[in-house]
Amino acid sequence: MSTALAQRDRVVLSEVSKTYASASGPTVALSPTDLVIEPGEFVSVVGPSGCGKTTLLQLLGGFLEPSTGALLVGEDPIAGPSPERGVVFQAPTLYPWLSVRGNVEFGPKCRGVGKKTRRADAQRLLDLVGLGDAGDKRPYELSGGMQQRAQIARVLTNDPRIILMDEPFGALDQLTRERLQVELLRLWREARKTVVFVTHSVEEAVLLSTRVLVMSARPGRVVLDRRIELPGDSADSARELAVTATPEFQSYKLELAEAIYTAHN
Ligand code: ADP
Ligand code: MG
């Protein structure tokens, strides 16, 4: 990747903090935070409930304004939501009155993309997430895992440079979750998007990420920033669930679990 391109997609947080006002007084959800995320990184954020993970993701999404500091993507301040930063929420947020295909086409349609192009794009993405035959179904006809895949296809249709995911697999059973983890890794390897992924699961964070941030209990701040390098070349499909049995995986898991435990107390 050229330096110019790398800088264009770099996410930079300088002294970003968030304090919520409420009846019982202010809540500092995020302490002043400096963070640089390079293009193509897969960064997971873990930490106890209420430590500000969702707040951090919503700041990156442009849904919240920071109380102090600045967020940039390349040279541009994050000033609001943008299709360049796609968000996958924990609970599926598909429009119930549209078909699965209609949901995936919705963003491009709003942007005025022609019917033929957006239909072809939607089919390609539905194939990619394993829903090639489900385009005509309504969201309520899909299982939780399928709805989550449809949500991912809907985000990808905008070809975002950055994908923000807030515990996207939290509500799924273990088998579906593992399948989607492998699919997400495959997608990330192919498309090399920047991913910021919030999860409760240390195991999931180590498996998926190139880097894991551990946040402390309120007021949230990053207490550990750990680069993950697992055996096997992550550029091919060698790195699958089998990697969880390696000593390297276990050692990262232990280190992060200890950091979360300390951060909690
Ligand atoms: P996490 O996702 O790590 O569980 P959140 O970012 O959701 O944490 O919340 C961080 C803290 O900010 C919590 O104490 C939460 O109660 C508080 N908080 C979150 N959103 C709001 C809000 N809109 N108004 C007031 N307090 C909030
Ligand atoms: Mg949360």
Side-chain angles (χ1 to χ4, degrees), residues 4 34 56 112 171 186 188 231:
D34 292 314
L56 176 62
R186 187 170 50 78
W188 171 75

Side-chain angles (χ1 to χ4, degrees), residues 20-22 27 29 48-56 218:
Y20 294 106
S22 65
T27 301
S49 252
C51 72
K53 303 182 293 296
T54 294
T55 299
L56 176 62
R218 222 172 58 216

Side-chain angles (χ1 to χ4, degrees), residues 1-8 39:
M1 189 176 291
S2 75
T3 316
L5 192 60
Q7 281 172 356
R8 194 195 71 173

Side-chain angles (χ1 to χ4, degrees), residues 20-78:
Y20 294 106
S22 65
S24 54
T27 301
V28 182
L30 186 67
S31 302
T33 297
D34 292 314
L35 188 63
V36 176
I37 299 173
E38 298 294 343
E41 279 196 295
F42 194 125
V43 181
S44 284
V45 182
V46 296
S49 252
C51 72
K53 303 182 293 296
T54 294
T55 299
L56 176 62
L57 213 73
Q58 295 205 339
L59 287 162
L60 289 166
F63 297 106
L64 281 177
E65 274 186 49
S67 306
T68 67
L71 297 97
L72 299 176
V73 178
E75 308 271 289
D76 307 323
I78 294 178

Side-chain angles (χ1 to χ4, degrees), residues 140-154:
Y140 66 82
E141 296 179 83
L142 305 185
S143 68
M146 290 165 89
Q147 290 187 31
Q148 219 37 328
R149 282 189 223 171
Q151 218 195 159
I152 292 169
R154 191 175 63 174

Side-chain angles (χ1 to χ4, degrees), residues 83 105-114 121 154 156-159:
E105 284 186 27
F106 187 78
K109 188 176 178 186
C110 291
R111 290 200 312 280
V113 176
D121 282 348
R154 191 175 63 174
L156 290 175
T157 196
N158 294 318
D159 198 20

